[in-house]
Amino acid sequence: MTELAQLLETWEPVIGLEVHVQLNTKSKLFSPSAVQFGAPPNSLTDPLVLGMPGTLPVFNRQALELALRLGVATESKIRAKSRFARKQYFYPDLPKGYQISQYDEPLCEDGRLDIIVGGAVKRIKLERIHIEEDAGKNTHVGQFSHVDLNRAGVPLVEVVTAPELTSAEEAAEFMRSLHRLVRWLEISEGDMEKGQMRCDANVSVRIRGEERLGTRTELKNINSFRFVQNAVEHEIARQVRIVDGGGRITRETRLWDADLGSSATMRSKEEANDYRYFPDPDLPPLVVDGGMMGTILRTLPELPAARFTRYIEQHGVSPDDARTLISDRALAEYFDVTCKLHPGERSGRTIANWMLTELLGALNAEGKDISQSPMQPATLSELIRLVEDGTISGKIGKEIFEESYKTGEAPTKIVERRGVQQISDEAALWEIVDRVVTANPKQATEYANGKDGLFGFFVGQVMKQTQGRANPVVTSDLLHKRLGR
Amino acid sequence: MPALTRKEVEEIALLARLHLDASELDQMQGELGAILEHFAALAQVDTNDVQPMTHAVPMDLRLRPDEVAPSLSPEDALRGAPVKQDSVFVVPAIIGGNE
Amino acid sequence: MSEWLSVADTAKKIAAGELTAVRVVDTYLSRIMNHDRELGSYLAVDGEGAREAAKAIDAQRAEGKRLGPLGGVPISLKDVLVTRGLETTAASKILEGWIPPYDGTVVEKLRAAGAIVLGKVNCDEFAMGSSTENSAYKRTRNPWDTQRVPGGSSGGSSASVAAGLCAASLGTDTGGSIRQPAAFCGVVGLKPTYGRVSRWGVVAFASSLDQVGPLTRSVHDAALVLEVIAGFDPRDSTSLDVPVPPYTDALVGDVTGLKVGLPREYFEGEIDNEVKAALDKTIAALKDRGAQIVDISLPHTSLALAAYYLVAPAEASSNLARYDGIRFGKAAQGAKDLLDLYMKSRGAGFGREVKRRIMLGTYALRSGYYDAYYKKAQQVRALIKRDFDDAFGSVDVILTPTTPTPAFRFGAKATPMDMYLGDVFTLSCNLAGLPGISVPCGLTSDGLPIGAQLLGKPLDEATVLRVGHVIESLVGLRDQRPKAVS
Ligand SMILES: [Mg+2]
Ligand SMILES: [Zn+2]
């Protein structure tokens, strides 16, 4: 056992995340200039984005709708009347000298997000989800910094978890679950490389069993799923070694450097900002109207974690397959449609097998995803039925799949055309079995004298005679009768 | 509400990013102190269960449709900038990341 | 032509072809040449732009097109109003040289109505002050006595209107900045209901208090200009989506049966005797015309000053954070690092009063102080509003002096507190978001104008205009003109 693993027997990490997610809108949160990734510097601004004198914010309806979707999907309390506040600090990427955010009256509180750890669902409490505007981008160049304000004013939600994550793995899994959810609900692309999802982590450690939280540090600037794991892992190790050596953790903000694979102090509590929050006098209270709530409630799809459980309990799908099926909403939808077309006990398990091996296999080979599948659920279900009712063997089934996938021809048609229906008729098979045995007296005698291995030889002969169409069960049954054992 | 100490005045000036020379600091301390004294009256008022009035006229936030209007050209965006290079604003080096 | 022509008559004569817009503009431009060197009301005169606009108006008329309600009327704009392509400084060094890429809504509306912008007029830096002495650029003198201030912060507006250097002007009013200078310069100044006029393109001082309004030589002119600039604007989230009535229709010249409230808190205490006398005369005249005079009380009045000087600076400290010398305006030279750039640019760019208010507001919003100061002030503000709601249950309009004294001499206010105390009568109107007007109601023995203030119910500009119009006809200045220009 490694030295760190040993320390973690005594010390328990506690992690809380603050995740910023870009809302998928055409225009900015408070002005109509466009939201777009990778545009030339300062080509997506207007007087408001630049913080020019006399400009005023006007709130983007779509941002509210998307934030509410997330609030509802996480079973958050939605505030009938929430408020925008100014978070004030001086920074070159913050044109107005304040960020319009939400402070003591956020849109959503007390939510939860289910994450899947070790094949089971774990429920993580969300303290709040609030709407705020993004800042611009500073690029460090020698003894200067360059400021690009294209991103300034882009709509974000900040999702704040309770300190309930207990390992770097869980932290990373939370990010993956949130990522899946926001894509599932079409709230955000969630592309971390494009900065559409960014994460700050509050990390502390305490003796296992201890109630009180230890002194926490805030890790900033974590911009990929891998970094979340690495950064948190690294910080846990750092803290555990300090406290175990009898040292104390200092309350500070640390900056994660992915290239160095380490973090460094950015600002200590002493120099912490006094943000001087106060209600933004330019923006009256945000009142959520029933109409919008109604639409959101009506149109909210079944969520990934719920489907995960349903697939296992209702369809007998294995946890691993269930996890794969919910990795992408389109995949899950495909599975659900196929199941509906294909009722019957436990058929879900079979459908999952065909989807994840044959169908995904074929799609991956072409670099396609499920939404581009040439084979529709009805066709797949038809094929599976042919196998289930014994019309064709599983082996033939795979051949039929390939042909139908390529040509789009219906499986039933292919089966008829190729005449590959399985032969299960005893009378017909008896003749073939009898002919095969008569034709091989030597082997028949050796078998009779106990050379069991030869049984397979006879089965093979029968299959040869029938181009593999003989029903294997019936065949071996008749062979036993004909051979006498 | 106590009058202002010199140290407080300096802290506030830093928070507000205002360079004040020694004489300005002295004067500020005196003047702000006098004004704050006048505010003492407020403390005497009973405001229990009085909702703070953040807006002169009560109204709800209006929602704007998510529509795009043309942006300023980078040239227009940077026209008034004291220090610029190509199409970016230029400032003395910043250490650390975003808030 | 006479530069004393009313807004209505100017528009009428131009529409009728009795005057050309070019002639009108040239008359005003030459008067500015002759008188403004002494008065210092303009920061920038846009002669070329004004002549171009005038030619366009005359051309329109020649083509038989119908002119707007202000077709060819020359106006001046307080320099906190954002004008596309025309330097806008808010009378501050920190904005020196800023050429806005857009027009404010009120400017758009004026231009659409055919008004002609003569130029930008002086004011206290970022509209913070009551004498225009806080302008970073120049001193503006009171046309009635050039040794005295024109009031503030819209002192360039009041002086330019009083001296006939424009037909009308737009100012802004955060705690009296339209009504007080109007009173000091013997003109009409109207502060609309909060939300009645768009704030898009108005350099913000205190967002929950600022309103744009007209300064004019008559109540009728004020009504005309308000009709043009008022109305819903989707670019301002605090703009009220309610119809704008034809204000000129309200000027019926009759107050019979109207209940006029006199809040006792505004009449006891430090008021100049001549001001008091002028108000008494005004009250008597209204009574004589059939108005019902009612004594009322606004019990929280004494707290308005404290509430205002916490709320306004707090909002200002935030609104002025954007002036950092990075995207526009002036930056300090040779800053050694980013912090130094902020400190020096803002330290050198802002004047003393602006710094004082930023400090005060920053102090009030600090964590740990918020509840005791900003929140408390907003709660007291609610009580002040409640006072007015109660009062308006029993009266139609409230009458008070606009200021405790007439215009004072330059440098007369020794301390900031002395200056602030001059605003006691005008602050509450902004805290409560009400419409208010100042109308001349006489001259002092040494010829200084005195103003009467009328406060109305929310959105009831019509009634303050109606009563102001009657006061004007009874005790107004008629054709008495300021010394400096007559
Ligand atoms: Mg945060
Ligand atoms: Zn945030």
Side-chain angles (χ1 to χ4, degrees), chain A residues 18 36 96 236 269 298 332 378 380 404 448 455:
Chain A
E18 290 175 17
Q36 185 195 320
K96 300 185 296 302
I236 291 170
K269 189 163 181 291
R298 270 198 309 284
L380 181 62
S404 174
F455 190 77

Side-chain angles (χ1 to χ4, degrees), chain C residues 89-97 125-126 136-137 329-330 348-351:
Chain C
T89 67
S92 179
K93 285 286 174 205
I94 207 160
L95 262 182
E96 190 166 20
E125 183 178 9
F126 285 104
Y137 295 100
K330 284 255 284 289
F350 291 131

Side-chain angles (χ1 to χ4, degrees), chain A residues 18-20 87 89 99 101-102 130-133 156-160 198 200 220 277, chain B residues 99:
Chain A
E18 290 175 17
V19 187
H20 288 90
K87 179 183 183 179
Y89 60 92
Q99 175 194 32
S101 182
Q102 297 190 294
H130 70 252
I131 303 173
E132 62 184 25
E133 55 179 353
L156 305 173
V157 282
E158 180 174 341
V159 179
V160 181
R198 305 194 295 273
D200 302 340
K220 287 198 169 288
Y277 281 98
Chain B
E99 283 302 312

Side-chain angles (χ1 to χ4, degrees), chain C residues 58-346:
Chain C
D58 291 333
Q60 268 186 52
R61 197 192 159 275
E63 295 161 30
K65 291 214 193 77
R66 224 172 138 279
L67 300 184
L70 301 182
V73 176
I75 48 119
S76 71
L77 300 173
K78 186 179 185 177
D79 205 31
V80 297
L81 299 175
V82 174
T83 45
R84 181 192 202 105
L86 191 55
E87 184 180 15
T88 301
T89 67
S92 179
K93 285 286 174 205
I94 207 160
L95 262 182
E96 190 166 20
W98 182 52
I99 311 292
Y102 76 104
D103 266 334
T105 298
V106 290
V107 179
E108 275 180 1
K109 282 173 175 269
L110 280 177
R111 292 200 165 128
I116 291 167
V117 177
L118 287 174
K120 308 297 287 289
V121 285
N122 201 17
C123 57
D124 287 297
E125 183 178 9
F126 285 104
M128 296 177 190
S130 312
S131 65
T132 312
E133 291 169 292
N134 297 333
S135 167
Y137 295 100
K138 55 159 69 166
R139 163 173 290 190
T140 300
R141 298 175 179 277
N142 189 318
W144 295 84
D145 176 350
T146 54
Q147 296 316 300
R148 294 174 186 264
V149 303
S153 63
S154 309
S157 294
S158 59
S160 61
V161 171
L165 306 185
C166 60
S169 185
L170 289 192
T172 58
D173 190 316
T174 305
S177 283
I178 287 175
R179 291 156 292 155
Q180 183 258 21
F184 280 13
C185 290
V187 299
V188 174
L190 183 142
K191 180 255 165 197
T193 307
Y194 184 85
R196 178 61 102 178
V197 177
S198 171
R199 294 186 296 115
W200 174 259
V202 181
V203 177
F205 163 11
S207 311
S208 76
L209 303 166
D210 297 342
Q211 268 292 290
V212 179
L215 292 95
T216 57
R217 287 188 290 266
S218 75
V219 172
H220 188 273
D221 286 355
L224 264 179
V225 175
L226 180 60
E227 256 175 66
V228 168
I229 62 170
F232 173 64
D233 180 7
R235 290 174 295 189
D236 174 359
S237 296
T238 62
S239 165
L240 294 168
D241 193 354
V242 291
V244 177
Y247 293 114
T248 42
D249 293 5
L251 311 180
V252 292
D254 171 48
V255 290
T256 322
L258 265 184
K259 295 203 191 66
V260 179
L262 307 179
R264 75 175 59 91
E265 294 79 5
Y266 283 68
F267 288 88
E268 54 207 25
E270 303 277 300
I271 306 182
D272 174 282
N273 291 331
E274 293 194 87
V275 172
K276 205 156 190 332
L279 260 290
D280 293 339
K281 200 167 120 238
T282 307
I283 293 160
L286 286 173
K287 199 168 190 173
D288 182 62
R289 276 305 189 85
Q292 255 187 76
I293 306 301
V294 186
D295 285 310
I296 59 168
S297 171
L298 300 166
H300 294 92
T301 299
S302 64
L303 297 165
L305 189 76
Y308 176 87
Y309 277 98
L310 280 168
V311 172
E315 294 181 4
S317 69
S318 178
N319 288 331
L320 272 61
R322 69 191 57 204
Y323 304 104
D324 55 11
I326 294 175
R327 294 164 316 284
F328 45 77
K330 284 255 284 289
Q333 295 308 305
K336 63 178 191 301
D337 58 27
L338 184 61
L339 178 62
D340 199 41
L341 175 70
Y342 282 126
M343 300 290 284
K344 293 232 179 75
S345 299
R346 293 167 57 80

Side-chain angles (χ1 to χ4, degrees), chain A residues 405-437:
Chain A
Y405 179 92
K406 283 197 189 65
T407 65
E409 190 181 4
T412 328
K413 288 254 164 30
I414 302 174
V415 170
E416 282 163 12
R417 185 165 47 70
R418 283 172 47 173
V420 288
Q421 298 89 329
Q422 193 161 249
I423 304 166
S424 306
D425 171 60
E426 269 99 350
L429 277 179
W430 178 260
E431 284 183 16
I432 298 158
V433 166
D434 181 54
R435 203 185 312 138
V436 166
V437 175

